[in-house]
Amino acid sequence: MKKKPTKSMPDSNEANFDAELFQAMLLKGWLLPLTEDEVAITDRAIEKEIAGTHLGIPNPLELLRANREKKKTASPRVDFHNEQAEQNLAWAARNGKEIPPEVREKMRKDRERAETEGDDE
Amino acid sequence: MSLPEGTQPEAFVCETDEDLLAYMAMQGEDRLGAEQAFAEFYRRHERYLSSRCRVHRGILGEDGVSTLVQDTFLRVYQKAHTYRPKQPACDYAPRRVKAWMGKIAANIFLSQLRRNSSPEELPDDLDTKEYKSAFQRSPADENLPLSARMKLFLAALDTLSEKERDVLIVSAEWCRLGQEYQRLPDDISQKLSAKYQSTPEAIRQTRKRAKDKVKAFVESRENEK
């Protein structure tokens, strides 16, 4: 009779070995402690180590500020009803060159037409 | 770490870690207070968290560790409202806060490893999810000396190569997040294999070899006695 396939699970010896290995890794400080007991065990082991550890990362308020700035950059929100913003974008699209009066007039008419069509819907 | 003049969070130096998290949780109503509480929290825990996260420098590099620490602190600030203090307040509260930070850091660490191939948001429940620990010691056992067998395990770990150590660490962190008995996902294996100019299959073999090496070391020393 064909043997029924079974899910590969470690036997109890293997599981015990894994648990001991895991404990040793925690004691070595190789793993992040995730429970109160683990913190207690690793805290004693790393007291000396902590004294010399400093990564020199920015001050905390700067970190929050930078994160806020990053969010702004990641999802820019432009108010397209703001005439100044629209003008700036149009200028930017022309590499900063001045927009000729006839083009500006055409843009104004296009915008009015678009707004009228939008209102009709 | 030094804060700019005028931002020293003197008002919060006497607060407990859990109180600081409560202030941070009120960032919608009092941003200034929340930020000052965060600054004090950061001052207290920056060295601790940096030292813990540095165990992953072999995999992430120094810049990656710095990013991990910063992302963890940011996450602490953003998710302060999800922290659940134990009622009634107990002596172990500082450990509880550190354990909570550890869960956040471990999740971000794995997320960083997966970022290139799977840019997904961290799950919302990561800060409250329960983890089982292989540590079976009770607090009363804390001051007991290590067993002879555990000392052999510690010595065995010293014999591992950098690659074996890194693979073992990533595997252990992965297994702890409810993925027990499962292979490392392909994207994480690929990241490790890229670092060590190897193949994902070879990385999986490295994990097995490292465990066999530790086992052989422990058993041979025990048989000598």
Side-chain angles (χ1 to χ4, degrees):
Chain A
M1 199 174 119
K2 203 172 178 182
K3 200 176 175 184
K4 198 176 175 182
T6 52
K7 192 179 177 186
S8 172
M9 295 284 282
D11 59 26
S12 62
N13 281 345
E14 184 70 18
N16 286 343
F17 170 79
D18 282 349
E20 287 177 302
L21 177 60
F22 172 80
Q23 289 187 16
M25 291 173 74
L26 261 176
L27 284 164
K28 273 274 183 199
W30 286 8
L31 299 175
L32 291 157
L34 306 187
T35 66
E36 291 157 56
D37 286 345
E38 290 179 10
V39 169
I41 298 300
T42 54
D43 263 7
R44 285 188 303 141
I46 63 168
E47 271 170 18
K48 291 176 192 168
E49 187 189 330
I50 287 180
T53 309
H54 181 58
L55 289 176
I57 53 185
N59 83 56
L61 299 180
E62 190 56 42
L63 185 64
L64 293 181
R65 211 163 16 244
N67 188 51
R68 277 198 295 272
E69 291 300 317
K70 200 166 94 181
K71 279 184 182 166
K72 280 184 196 165
T73 314
S75 54
R77 292 173 62 188
V78 178
D79 180 4
F80 283 99
H81 291 287
N82 180 326
E83 202 168 303
Q84 185 61 46
E86 191 175 1
Q87 199 173 60
N88 290 344
L89 285 172
W91 279 344
R94 285 166 178 75
N95 297 324
K97 290 176 187 168
E98 189 63 50
I99 302 171
E102 64 274 19
V103 175
R104 190 187 293 275
E105 179 61 18
K106 186 174 181 307
M107 283 168 63
R108 189 184 63 78
K109 283 180 180 169
D110 286 347
R111 188 174 59 211
E112 281 176 358
R113 191 169 59 246
E115 283 174 355
T116 309
E117 283 171 3
D119 290 340
D120 290 343
E121 282 172 9
Chain B
M1 185 192 71
S2 62
L3 296 175
E5 199 176 341
T7 61
Q8 294 289 352
E10 288 171 5
F12 292 92
V13 290
C14 298
E15 305 290 348
T16 66
D17 287 346
E18 293 192 334
D19 287 341
L20 293 177
L21 287 170
Y23 281 113
M24 283 185 244
M26 295 192 294
Q27 55 197 264
E29 296 90 63
D30 179 10
R31 198 175 98 181
L32 185 64
E35 289 189 350
Q36 287 191 337
F38 173 72
E40 171 62 15
F41 187 91
Y42 187 103
R43 186 190 64 76
R44 287 183 199 176
H45 296 291
E46 191 250 341
R47 281 178 188 271
Y48 166 79
L49 192 61
S50 296
S51 78
R52 295 300 76 226
C53 291
R54 275 178 65 84
V55 301
H56 295 318
R57 67 184 179 280
I59 300 143
L60 300 176
E62 291 292 344
D63 287 349
V65 170
S66 184
T67 302
L68 175 59
V69 173
Q70 291 182 55
D71 285 354
T72 302
F73 274 119
L74 280 176
R75 188 79 179 173
V76 163
Y77 184 74
Q78 290 160 352
K79 303 292 280 183
H81 64 282
T82 69
Y83 176 79
R84 296 283 172 267
K86 204 170 201 169
Q87 297 298 342
C90 60
D91 292 343
Y92 301 118
R95 291 177 185 170
R96 191 174 175 81
V97 170
K98 283 181 178 176
W100 182 70
M101 271 199 302
K103 289 176 200 168
I104 294 176
N107 275 281
I108 293 177
F109 167 65
L110 290 174
S111 171
Q112 275 188 347
L113 282 183
R114 310 194 74 179
R115 190 167 289 166
N116 290 344
S117 49
S118 177
E120 55 199 16
E121 287 285 313
L122 290 167
D124 282 339
D125 66 342
L126 70 87
D127 314 326
T128 49
K129 199 174 166 187
E130 288 300 323
Y131 293 89
K132 61 178 179 181
S133 174
F135 247 123
Q136 300 300 321
R137 290 213 243 179
S138 68
D141 296 335
E142 268 179 33
N143 295 320
L144 289 180
L146 292 177
S147 69
R149 185 171 162 83
M150 188 48 63
K151 284 179 183 170
L152 287 178
F153 267 87
L154 294 175
L157 290 179
D158 286 335
T159 67
L160 299 181
S161 68
E162 186 188 343
K163 178 182 176 183
E164 289 166 339
R165 190 194 70 165
D166 286 349
V167 170
L168 220 46
I169 287 173
V170 174
S171 301
E173 295 287 25
W174 176 254
C175 288
R176 283 206 291 175
L177 301 179
Q179 312 296 330
E180 205 165 6
Y181 310 138
Q182 289 187 14
R183 299 194 323 172
L184 277 176
D186 287 342
D187 48 3
I188 292 185
S189 291
Q190 279 164 10
K191 188 111 178 185
L192 287 169
S193 55
K195 174 175 167 49
Y196 287 107
Q197 297 171 335
S198 180
T199 64
E201 189 48 43
I203 290 297
R204 292 184 182 111
Q205 289 299 322
T206 302
R207 176 191 186 182
K208 184 179 181 307
R209 194 170 55 243
K211 286 173 69 172
D212 288 345
K213 205 166 160 180
V214 172
K215 192 181 282 180
F217 182 97
V218 172
E219 285 174 358
S220 68
R221 297 298 190 283
E222 281 187 329
N223 289 337
E224 281 173 12
K225 291 174 183 174

